[in-house]
Amino acid sequence: MSARDPSDQSVSPSADAASAPDRDIWSALRQATAARIGLGRAGNAIPLGEVLDFQFAHATARDAVHTPLDIPALEDQLAPLPLLRVASAATDRSTYLRRPDLGRILSPDCDLPEASETCDIVFVIADGLSATAIQRHAAPVIHACRAALAEFAIGPVVIASQARVAIGDPIGAMLKAQVSVVLVGERPGLTVSDSLGLYLTFGPRPGRRDSERNCISNVHDHGGLTYEGAARTLSWLVREALRRQLSGVDLKDDLPAAVTGPGAQPQLPTS
């Protein structure tokens, strides 16, 4: 068999070109998403590096669910704010995962004192499904939110273990808060395992429905919502909730552009 003449243009060089890094058709799309796309292949399998990355992400997500919250370290980050500790009726992590209902109510042994005076806002920190998110982001988010809501009467920060969002309802009622804000570790994924969410409820009391809450989600430092952005959004929602005396589906997150822009300060609407 004779060698191919290099000048013969009848044979396409596409196979060589397709393997060149600058011809990777997925590279532009990867810049727009953290999703696993265009992973390539090694023979009839996914490349080993991608398999190991997937396994590492899965292990990180499992760790986020099962790693216990380091409450003393969190309290140090929150100092010098007044703090209270409570626990849900779920006695351990296994029970918490199998019985979601127990994570929504306070332990029968809870000795949370009933407040003698009302307050505008109470912040509740719940470990949720990612204690990692709470450990990393709860304290800076609390500090940013308190700065944005400095003119309001804010109650003590309550740290709730083995807790879900609805645990803020009995806590808010006992502390006589007009608004409860629950910071919770969101269910971890294979891209982000430390995402934090904030749930606002006007008039917290046992029996509130999820439709009566407003959610600010995806607070993290991997391209998610910034601490300052979360604080601006929450500040607007709190003011609107107090003005309209409601929260949830009837309170739309329709912030004016001036509020969401960099350095913007929320303003109480006049109409």
Side-chain angles (χ1 to χ4, degrees), residues 74 77-78 81-83 122-125 134 137-149 154-158 181-183 196 198 227 230-231 234:
L74 179 59
Q77 293 177 310
L78 291 166
L81 302 178
L83 304 172
V122 64
F123 286 96
V124 179
I125 298 176
I134 293 298
H137 308 306
V141 169
I142 288 282
H143 290 306
C145 290
R146 286 180 62 95
L149 297 164
I154 302 177
V157 177
V158 181
V181 179
V182 178
L183 283 71
L196 180 143
L198 297 88
Y227 305 149
L234 180 68

Side-chain angles (χ1 to χ4, degrees), residues 41 43 47 52-53 67 76 96 134 161-162 187 193:
R41 65 182 184 180
L52 294 176
D53 286 345
T67 300
D76 288 343
Y96 171 83
I134 293 298
S161 57
Q162 311 296 1
R187 181 182 292 105
S193 62

